[in-house]
Amino acid sequence: MQPATTSQPPSVFQSDALVRAQLQSLGEDLSDVNARLSDIEQKFEKVTASVGLTNTGPDGQALSRLEIFHSYSPVLVIAFLVTLATTPIMRRLAVRHGVIDRPNEARKIHRQPIAYLGGVAIFMGLMAGILYSFFGQVSEGLMSFHPTRWLDEDGHVHMVPWSILLGMTAIVLVGLLDDVVGISPRVKIGGQLLAAAALAVNDVGVRVAGGIMKPIGAIFGDPNLVYNIPIGIEIPFLVPTGVIHIDLIYWTGTAVIALFVLGACNASNLIDGLDGLLTGVTGIASFGLLVVALGLALVDDGARDSQRIVLCMALLGACLGFLPHNFNPANIFLGDAGSLLMGFSTIVIILTLGDNDQTQLVLAGLIIYAIPMIDTTLAIVRRKMAGKSISSADSDHLHHMLKRALGVKGAVLSLYMLGGLFAALGIWLSMSRARVVYILALVFASFIGVTAIKIARKKQIEEQSAEFDRRQSEAASSAAGVPAGAAAAVPVAAPPVAAPG
């Protein structure tokens, strides 16, 4: 019979090992808690920075929106001065060479020829401001940039890419050709698509749909939506590895870029119907986008932070420099070169807001630039309701309706106020993602849309009623043996007037 075994107390070495294991586990738990606290602290700093409070940059320097604005302000000043100085030169060149807008249509408000080529002055101001930022990068003392961890191989911040400069140049050349000699709409659209393609090639705005596409991809098990399809053969330059690489987010973003560029360019062109209207609305939108861009720079969002700020500063400065010449009574117009350029520049800034799959910021940017888009949408609906081509001209745009009620300056200032309201809503949305902002934007846009369609519908009903009365009159005249159209030519005898008393 075997004796019963008794449990032995742990040895000293076993006790030490147990204590060390417990201490190690406790240390890991403390490290995990510390990491969580650090993550919460970073998120808190981002939230406080996004609402305009001061933040600390990578080098420990205290930052605020105003301080970053001061750093980039030379870009605004250069764009302003160059545009202000070159606009009179462009006006003289336009008058000398006959590049003027003649008031040969009833819907035009001016009664004397006005020079075009204002868009060239805008282009020169934009380019001057952007190029100055390049000089500020390599020459010490010209300007400073906000502290960031997103640097290129040389340790510099990322500057405005060549694709944006190429796109601006293509847009201006197409618009200038239309102003000077006149070109077909297909050529203009081709130039706009060329500018959009340049953006896509340089990956500007291609992540604009990421915030919507990634959740959809997650449902199917691949949030990145990247697929490699082997085809079994190698095609030089096209498929050198024998595998087709498909990035659905990239190609969706490319399609969105093309639609946005076409929509913004033509929306800006359509709203350019009153002195100073497009210039002021674009200036207000660029200021709103600048506030959003400064907020992103505070949290060091990405490599395009400095690019967005430079573009906003240059566009705002160019608008401010051109507005004194273009406000009522204007002595120079933007022309297609200027209106298309303003639309393109604005939509490029909006597209870059989605560079890190932040689709909600793109929506905020679209709300900021809502006035031209609402007017264009209403124009399409109105012309479809009337059975007309969407490219046909009319005098029922928002600014035309307001002009008839408030005059030119009253209409322009009213749309400035609406533009400022939408800019405030867009800034609010960029800070909070609040659903109430979407609701307010929807309510304002719907109210404007329904009112405009109601007014246009009333005019259409009046025209249809007048046409019906004319046909009835012709039918009655035919029944009485009077030739068609003669009834209108025969004067109607006035009734006898009774003598007084």
Side-chain angles (χ1 to χ4, degrees):
M1 184 173 178
Q2 297 293 333
T5 59
T6 58
S7 59
Q8 298 294 329
S11 65
V12 176
F13 297 105
Q14 291 176 334
S15 299
D16 290 344
L18 181 61
V19 170
R20 283 196 297 269
Q22 291 176 344
L23 288 175
Q24 184 178 0
S25 176
L26 181 60
E28 291 176 354
D29 291 340
L30 289 175
S31 298
D32 184 59
V33 171
N34 187 42
R36 291 175 180 271
L37 289 174
S38 178
D39 183 60
I40 293 173
E41 183 180 1
Q42 290 177 2
K43 290 181 179 179
F44 176 77
E45 289 177 354
K46 287 188 176 182
V47 171
T48 56
S50 66
V51 297
L53 301 177
T54 58
N55 193 8
T56 302
D59 61 351
Q61 179 184 357
L63 295 177
S64 68
R65 276 191 174 90
L66 186 59
E67 289 172 348
I68 298 177
F69 176 87
H70 288 159
S71 299
Y72 290 83
S73 59
V75 174
L76 186 150
V77 174
I78 293 298
F80 169 78
L81 293 177
V82 170
T83 306
L84 185 70
T86 56
T87 299
I89 299 174
M90 291 299 107
R91 183 174 61 82
R92 294 190 190 96
L93 287 175
V95 172
R96 182 180 304 171
H97 297 282
V99 186
I100 55 179
D101 182 28
R102 296 174 176 82
N104 53 5
E105 297 180 17
R107 62 190 179 91
K108 294 187 176 182
I109 64 169
H110 57 286
R111 293 293 172 261
Q112 59 183 3
I114 303 293
Y116 273 146
L117 299 186
V120 179
I122 293 287
F123 176 73
M124 295 175 69
L126 272 172
M127 284 297 177
I130 295 172
L131 292 177
Y132 184 87
S133 69
F134 282 89
F135 290 116
Q137 177 77 279
V138 298
S139 300
E140 204 173 319
L142 291 180
M143 64 176 290
S144 58
F145 298 86
H146 73 283
T148 177
R149 68 181 186 275
W150 303 95
L151 303 175
D152 59 17
E153 304 82 30
D154 299 324
H156 297 149
V157 299
H158 293 269
M159 307 306 297
V160 176
W162 62 266
S163 58
I164 295 179
L165 303 180
L166 177 61
M168 289 180 175
T169 304
I171 290 292
V172 167
L173 289 178
V174 169
L176 186 60
L177 284 174
D178 192 47
D179 291 335
V180 176
V181 299
I183 57 177
S184 67
R186 291 183 179 180
V187 176
K188 291 170 66 175
I189 291 176
Q192 295 165 31
L193 290 177
L194 174 63
L199 298 178
V201 168
N202 208 196
D203 291 341
V204 177
V206 294
R207 308 298 301 181
V208 65
I212 296 176
M213 297 292 291
K214 279 193 171 184
I216 296 175
I219 298 175
F220 298 96
D222 183 10
N224 294 320
L225 293 173
V226 177
Y227 302 97
N228 295 312
I229 303 175
I231 61 175
I233 60 173
E234 297 181 1
I235 304 175
F237 304 107
L238 297 178
V239 192
T241 61
V243 178
I244 298 178
H245 179 78
I246 299 177
D247 186 341
L248 289 183
I249 294 180
Y250 173 87
W251 288 109
T252 303
T254 300
V256 171
I257 290 172
L259 291 175
F260 275 26
V261 169
L262 289 175
C265 289
N266 291 282
S268 296
N269 196 11
L270 286 176
I271 203 176
D272 186 26
L274 295 179
D275 296 351
L277 176 57
L278 177 59
T279 308
V281 167
T282 304
I284 293 170
S286 63
F287 179 79
L289 293 170
L290 175 62
V291 175
V292 177
L294 292 173
L296 291 174
L298 272 177
V299 298
D300 203 19
D301 181 71
R304 298 203 187 276
D305 289 344
S306 58
Q307 299 173 8
R308 277 189 291 263
I309 297 175
V310 168
L311 288 171
C312 290
M313 287 283 195
L315 183 58
L316 178 58
C319 290
L320 293 176
F322 186 73
L323 190 58
H325 304 282
N326 187 232
F327 195 76
N328 184 260
N331 59 16
I332 187 170
F333 289 158
L334 285 166
D336 278 6
S339 60
L340 296 179
L341 177 61
M342 284 191 171
F344 178 79
S345 301
T346 306
I347 205 63
V348 164
I349 299 171
I350 294 173
L351 286 170
T352 61
L353 293 174
D355 192 57
N356 290 331
D357 300 327
Q358 298 177 359
T359 306
Q360 79 279 359
L361 292 182
V362 178
L363 294 177
L366 293 176
I367 290 175
I368 290 173
Y369 202 53
I371 295 295
M373 293 187 299
I374 292 174
D375 183 66
T376 301
T377 303
L378 291 177
I380 294 174
V381 173
R382 182 175 65 247
R383 292 164 188 175
K384 283 294 184 182
M385 289 172 55
K388 300 178 181 179
S389 170
I390 61 174
S391 61
S392 60
D394 60 29
S395 58
D396 289 324
H397 288 277
L398 289 175
H399 52 274
H400 290 137
M401 297 178 188
L402 289 172
K403 179 181 73 71
R404 288 192 284 267
L406 304 174
V408 175
K409 291 183 179 178
V412 170
L413 294 176
S414 297
L415 288 172
Y416 284 179
M417 182 180 65
L418 281 176
L421 178 62
F422 278 111
L425 288 175
I427 294 170
W428 185 10
L429 176 59
S430 71
M431 294 179 178
S432 61
R433 298 191 187 182
R435 292 183 180 179
V436 66
V437 182
Y438 289 108
I439 296 173
L440 289 174
L442 179 63
V443 169
F444 282 124
S446 300
F447 182 81
I448 295 171
V450 170
T451 303
I453 292 177
K454 182 172 65 175
I455 295 173
R457 187 64 175 168
K458 178 182 177 182
K459 183 178 179 181
Q460 183 183 359
I461 292 174
E462 291 175 350
E463 292 176 351
Q464 292 175 348
S465 177
E467 178 65 17
F468 177 80
D469 292 342
R470 185 185 64 80
R471 290 178 180 176
Q472 289 290 95
S473 177
E474 290 180 355
S477 299
S478 299
V482 180
V490 177
V492 179
V497 179

